[in-house]
Amino acid sequence: MHERALGTLEFDKVRERMARYVACSLGRERMMSVAPFVSLAEAREELSAVDEALTATLRYGTAPFGGITDIRGSVQRARIGGLLSVEQLSAVAAWLAGIRALRQYVTRLPDSSLYPHLVAVVESLFPGRDLERAIREVIAEDGTILDRASPELQRLRQERRTVEARARKLLEQMLRTESQRLQEPVIALRGNALCLPVKVEYKNSFPGVIRDYSASGSTVYIEPRAVVEQGEMARELLLREEREIERLLLLLSQQVGACAEWLEVDVESVSMLDLWFAKAAYAKAEGCELPVLRDDAGWQLRRARHPLLAKENAVPLDVEMGENYRMLMITGPNTGGKTVTLKTVGLLTVMAMSGCFIPAERGSSVAWCEDIHADIGDEQSIEQSLSTFSSHLRNIVDMLRHVRRGHLVLLDELGAGTDPGEGAALAIAILEKLAAVGAYVVATTHYAELKAYAFREPLAMNASMEFDIQSLSPTYRLLIGVPGRSNAFAIARRLGLPEDILARAEANVSTEDRRLEAMIAEIEEARRRQEKALTAAELSLASAARMERELSEAQETFDRKAEERLQASIRQADEILRKARETAETVIAELREKQSSLKDHELVELKKMLAPVPRSDLGKSATRKQGGSSGGLRVQVGSQVKVHSLGQKGEVLEVSGDKVMVQLGVLRTKVDLADVEVLSNKEPLTSTSRVRGSGLDKTVRMELDVRGETVEDALQRIDKYLDDAVLSGLSRLVIIHGKGTGALRDGIRYHLARHPQVKSREPGGLGEGGDGVTVVQVRS
């Protein structure tokens, strides 16, 4: 892509803004060289990597780049065998610690499969833990050489400290004995020598070596003869210490040189990571979104903003081009935003092709262009004595030599700067040439001829920058499909130009121009009506959506409260059942004690009658009006009723106020009148018979259901059932056992065939259940 086009679009300023978010100089250097990629695949890969960095930043915070500096100079010096300083080696160690932290940040991201680009880069980084450890064993983080760096260094430093301690002890003694000849009682260090500040008048009588004078000359710093020997020893040890340190630094430099190739590769990788995270940080700060790069040509920018304008001040633009038309003719008043729109389309295209998020709504798409050509602004060259028209024309001539199919061409004020008629004709010819080549064109103009050209050319579309005639100011909104009006007469009339002058001016306008202006006015009026209708429809839709949401919330609240009431009723029913079971267990225990003739299987049957009612039935009964009746029947002695709290049917034996005594099988219990429902005031149904005897009063049904039971349990119930049937005088019974595998059916029929009380047995007839039931004739 031509650098001239990037400069015209001011892409360098966009790069400078994004560079504010880099973490180190490596990232800044890479950011300032950002440019459109050569291929669409590369640009898409870059956008995916930036999207990963943004996702990681939003979820887990900014990536750590602490300790990352430019170490390329140090690495190159070590590669050729040079000696690195303590600061350079410490920077290398900090670098290795920094990339380790960076690696940990990425590898510890939950679901690392979401970040393939980040993971691939950090996994390729040189671990360097051994090199970092080797440096830190010699150099502390504050840059000092550690005593433990080597046994020799530790020994030399210990000896030097011992010698200096002896010298200092001698000096402290002299401070007490020679205080009269000293300027002040302190020990001063001059160079590597420990000295005493002697008054200048005593310098010849004070034995020692003069090391320095004060600025005023009144004090002379003398190393006493008694400590000169100790000082010489200390200085010799210091020299040997420095040689040992140099040896250690050389060894570390050689280790860095051995890793130079990996470190240089790491520099490139880390700078790329810094670039990705900086682009992500810019996108986060500026409200940018991931663009869709299309290879089938086409721009769909939704609420796009110029990246150099403050987002709170920029007016969003909607731009479409490429699918139904390849050229967009933008007209409108001066300072109305035409050039800004032109640059917005160009800059957002460059940003997307450079792997950057764009300031537009998510889902905005940008066509991939192999090149962008731009002729924008007044480039009049005084030195070359070129007019504005000549300058623009020279740029266009150069552009036409290089433009190819699929290129994007941006033209500002096409044909301006010369005779309007000739300029318009030349502009149309240039547009026709670009259309023939197959380029995409966005052009701004004031010429009415270009508006007409866009009307008749299928590949072109008019657009305009909206102008508020009431306030005489632009709104900076781009209107696709609507050509702009000059508004010259309207503005002049609002500013007070006499009507007679306006009338003569309007008379001088050609009929065709007046017809064009009238047509544009009608289009604008139709657009305004459409916008009002659309606004009204959107408001109605929003109101309907709000009402639907409120209704849904009310329904949810109602359902929740109903469920809460149901659960409360179920809990209440559970409590009633619990108390009833406890009462029944007590009664059965008393019956067992008082009536020894009561059989065990009868007690089992009674307990089954007291089994908990299913929750679904409880839910229903909880909402049913208690104490109800069927057909308006009253509760009276002999009434067949259902006790809701126990889920059992029985006969009323006594009515006393709001209490009734009910016979439930062998169990008699007193319940609330409101807890019973009258089923019938007649005698028991013909399908049942009553058995009286042994102190028991039982209802025997004409059928017995044993489905789902084991053969042993079923036979035990059948024997008891046959006994009750004989006592009640029933001659025909029905046993329901189902079909299933046939084991229960065969076991029952085999047993009935040998039962002394069974006269005959046969499968059920048509309408009775067929082979799923057995009809039994009982001996009389």
Side-chain angles (χ1 to χ4, degrees):
M1 181 168 293
H2 287 65
E3 284 294 329
R4 182 179 177 279
L6 297 182
T8 301
L9 294 172
E10 299 180 295
F11 185 55
D12 55 330
K13 294 182 180 179
V14 177
R15 288 184 296 211
E16 188 65 43
R17 287 202 174 191
M18 289 192 292
R20 299 173 186 173
Y21 298 92
V22 299
C24 63
S25 59
L26 295 173
R28 178 177 179 80
E29 180 180 325
R30 200 175 190 106
M31 180 69 77
M32 296 310 296
S33 63
V34 164
F37 285 90
V38 176
S39 69
L40 174 61
E42 289 178 326
R44 284 175 172 171
E45 285 293 317
E46 180 77 0
L47 287 171
S48 297
V50 176
D51 192 31
E52 292 175 19
L54 180 59
T55 301
T57 299
L58 293 175
R59 292 182 179 178
Y60 309 108
T62 306
F65 282 90
I68 303 296
T69 56
D70 189 355
I71 62 169
R72 288 175 293 182
S74 301
V75 173
Q76 182 61 28
R77 183 182 179 86
R79 177 196 284 273
I80 61 177
L83 177 67
L84 300 184
S85 66
V86 173
E87 292 76 13
Q88 290 173 321
L89 287 168
S90 188
V92 171
W95 164 276
L96 295 171
I99 63 173
R100 187 175 70 255
L102 199 56
R103 177 199 291 269
Q104 291 174 351
Y105 169 84
V106 174
T107 56
R108 292 179 181 177
L109 290 174
D111 196 3
S112 57
S113 61
L114 297 176
Y115 314 96
H117 295 85
L118 301 182
V119 172
V121 172
V122 299
E123 286 184 347
S124 68
L125 294 177
F126 173 55
R129 190 57 188 260
D130 293 338
L131 178 57
E132 180 190 354
R133 187 181 297 110
I135 295 174
R136 287 306 177 205
E137 287 177 352
V138 175
I139 305 172
E141 292 187 2
D142 61 359
T144 58
I145 305 297
L146 299 172
D147 291 352
R148 64 174 182 272
S150 72
E152 178 65 14
L153 180 61
Q154 191 169 18
R155 184 186 64 80
L156 291 172
R157 285 185 170 177
Q158 184 61 43
E159 289 183 11
R160 182 166 60 84
R161 293 190 189 101
T162 302
V163 171
E164 289 177 347
R166 285 200 301 265
R168 190 172 293 276
K169 185 175 181 181
L170 290 173
L171 290 171
E172 289 174 351
Q173 291 176 356
M174 296 180 70
L175 286 176
R176 292 190 294 270
T177 59
E178 300 291 342
S179 59
Q180 296 296 327
R181 294 193 288 180
L182 300 179
Q183 195 71 261
E184 54 183 334
V186 296
I187 299 173
L189 183 65
R190 287 296 181 266
N192 293 325
L194 295 173
C195 304
L196 294 177
V198 180
K199 296 177 181 179
V200 68
E201 59 266 25
Y202 297 110
K203 71 174 182 177
N204 294 325
S205 61
F206 197 95
V209 180
I210 297 176
R211 297 299 184 185
D212 198 7
Y213 285 89
S214 66
S216 63
S218 60
T219 304
V220 58
Y221 295 94
I222 298 176
E223 183 180 10
R225 186 176 300 163
V227 299
V228 168
E229 182 179 354
Q230 301 296 326
E232 291 296 335
M233 290 176 60
R235 283 187 286 275
E236 181 182 355
L237 289 170
L238 183 60
L239 290 174
R240 292 168 62 186
E241 178 184 332
E242 291 174 350
R243 286 196 294 271
E244 177 63 14
I245 291 174
E246 185 177 344
R247 183 186 70 83
L248 294 172
L249 295 182
L250 182 59
L251 288 176
L252 293 176
S253 301
Q254 291 172 350
Q255 293 183 51
V256 173
C259 303
E261 184 176 350
W262 293 329
L263 292 173
E264 288 173 349
V265 172
D266 283 359
V267 167
E268 291 299 311
S269 299
V270 171
S271 66
M272 183 178 297
L273 286 174
D274 193 9
L275 176 71
W276 290 345
F277 278 98
K279 287 182 176 180
Y282 171 79
K284 176 184 175 184
E286 296 296 328
C288 299
E289 295 289 350
L290 175 67
V292 178
L293 271 177
R294 299 173 54 177
D295 55 358
D296 58 347
W299 283 260
Q300 281 192 337
L301 300 177
R302 296 288 178 262
R303 298 187 63 79
R305 296 177 285 104
H306 193 288
L308 298 180
L309 296 178
K311 58 183 178 181
E312 59 272 11
N313 298 328
V315 177
L317 303 171
D318 291 337
V319 180
E320 291 187 13
M321 185 179 69
E323 294 186 352
N324 300 319
Y325 48 90
R326 304 174 67 90
M327 295 187 292
L328 193 62
M329 302 291 108
I330 304 177
T331 52
N334 290 328
T335 70
K338 298 191 302 298
T339 303
V340 171
T341 301
L342 201 67
K343 287 188 174 182
T344 300
V345 174
L347 269 178
L348 267 56
T349 303
V350 172
M351 290 177 69
M353 293 171 59
S354 302
C356 304
F357 281 34
I358 62 175
E361 280 190 351
R362 195 170 187 85
S364 294
S365 59
V366 172
W368 173 263
C369 307
E370 291 186 2
D371 206 346
I372 296 178
H373 308 273
D375 179 58
I376 301 174
D378 184 4
E379 299 183 3
Q380 180 173 348
S381 174
I382 299 177
E383 293 181 358
Q384 300 180 13
S385 299
L386 295 175
S387 66
T388 301
F389 175 76
S390 301
S391 177
H392 283 294
L393 192 58
R394 171 171 289 184
N395 294 337
I396 293 173
V397 169
D398 181 68
M399 182 186 305
L400 292 174
R401 285 200 294 264
H402 298 92
V403 69
R404 298 290 183 272
R405 182 175 183 82
H407 289 191
L408 175 62
V409 179
L410 305 173
L411 301 171
D412 191 24
E413 298 295 349
L414 180 60
T418 187
D419 177 76
E422 294 180 355
L426 189 58
I428 292 175
I430 293 171
L431 292 175
E432 290 175 343
K433 173 64 176 178
L434 293 173
V437 170
Y440 297 97
V441 181
V442 182
T444 67
T445 183
H446 284 289
Y447 291 144
E449 290 84 352
L450 294 188
K451 302 176 191 178
Y453 170 78
F455 269 120
R456 67 174 182 268
E457 173 57 54
L459 295 178
M461 175 64 68
N462 270 307
S464 63
M465 304 306 300
E466 188 180 51
F467 186 84
D468 187 351
I469 195 64
Q470 300 300 323
S471 62
L472 300 181
S473 61
T475 65
Y476 304 107
R477 292 178 57 201
L478 179 66
L479 307 177
I480 301 291
V482 179
R485 300 172 60 193
S486 65
N487 295 306
F489 292 153
I491 294 173
R493 183 171 284 108
R494 285 291 307 278
L495 293 178
L497 192 67
E499 283 295 330
D500 58 333
I501 298 177
L502 286 170
R504 285 196 296 271
E506 289 173 347
N508 291 329
V509 177
S510 66
T511 304
E512 182 179 351
D513 288 343
R514 284 198 298 270
R515 188 164 55 249
L516 179 60
E517 288 293 319
M519 180 184 62
I520 294 174
E522 291 176 0
I523 293 174
E524 288 187 349
E525 181 60 28
R527 178 188 57 78
R528 291 191 186 97
R529 289 196 299 268
Q530 180 187 14
E531 285 186 348
K532 289 181 180 179
L534 179 61
T535 301
E538 289 175 346
L539 290 175
S540 299
L541 181 61
S543 177
R546 184 175 62 256
M547 293 176 64
E548 181 181 6
R549 184 171 61 255
E550 292 173 353
L551 180 61
S552 177
E553 292 174 353
Q555 182 65 39
E556 290 178 359
T557 302
F558 175 80
D559 292 343
R560 184 177 66 256
K561 291 182 177 179
E563 179 65 21
E564 291 174 354
R565 288 194 295 270
L566 176 60
Q567 293 301 323
S569 300
I570 291 176
R571 287 192 296 270
Q572 183 181 6
D574 284 344
E575 181 62 20
I576 295 173
L577 282 176
R578 185 185 64 78
K579 293 180 178 179
R581 283 195 296 270
E582 290 176 355
T583 303
E585 290 289 346
T586 302
V587 171
I588 292 173
E590 293 177 357
L591 287 173
R592 183 188 294 273
E593 293 175 359
K594 296 179 179 180
Q595 300 185 22
S596 58
S597 61
L598 194 63
K599 298 180 181 179
D600 288 342
H601 69 269
E602 291 179 324
L603 292 175
V604 172
E605 288 297 318
L606 290 174
K607 286 187 177 183
K608 286 184 179 180
M609 292 173 62
L610 295 171
V613 180
R615 287 298 180 91
S616 60
D617 294 340
L618 288 175
K620 296 175 183 177
S621 64
T623 57
R624 187 184 295 112
K625 182 179 179 181
Q626 297 183 345
S629 61
S630 176
L633 299 178
R634 295 177 56 191
V635 177
Q636 62 187 30
V637 176
S639 297
Q640 299 295 312
V641 297
K642 179 178 181 180
V643 181
H644 292 300
S645 61
L646 300 178
Q648 303 296 324
K649 298 177 181 179
E651 180 180 341
V652 176
L653 302 179
E654 179 184 344
V655 180
S656 177
D658 59 350
K659 298 288 185 179
V660 292
M661 181 69 73
V662 182
Q663 181 77 42
L664 300 172
V666 298
L667 175 66
R668 292 184 180 184
T669 182
K670 182 175 289 187
V671 297
D672 292 335
L673 179 65
D675 193 27
V676 300
E677 178 182 355
V678 179
L679 302 177
S680 173
N681 280 336
K682 302 176 181 179
E683 288 299 317
L685 299 175
T686 58
S687 62
T688 63
S689 182
R690 306 188 70 79
V691 179
R692 299 183 184 273
S694 303
L696 301 177
D697 186 359
K698 294 187 287 186
T699 299
V700 181
R701 298 181 61 83
M702 294 182 64
E703 60 184 28
L704 175 65
D705 190 348
V706 295
R707 286 177 293 182
E709 298 184 12
T710 64
V711 175
E712 182 179 354
D713 292 341
L715 294 181
Q716 185 177 357
R717 290 187 61 197
I718 289 173
D719 287 344
K720 176 63 174 60
Y721 180 54
L722 290 172
D723 291 342
D724 293 341
V726 171
L727 292 176
S728 64
L730 293 177
S731 61
R732 185 177 186 275
L733 307 175
V734 176
I735 299 176
I736 304 172
H737 46 65
K739 298 178 181 179
T741 61
L744 181 61
R745 176 197 62 202
D746 295 342
I748 291 173
R749 289 178 179 176
Y750 181 80
H751 179 72
L752 293 175
R754 291 160 177 74
H755 200 286
Q757 294 176 343
V758 175
K759 182 177 181 180
S760 66
R761 52 109 175 112
E762 59 185 4
L766 190 65
E768 290 182 316
D771 206 32
V773 304
T774 298
V775 179
V776 179
Q777 295 292 333
V778 182
R779 297 182 187 277
S780 57

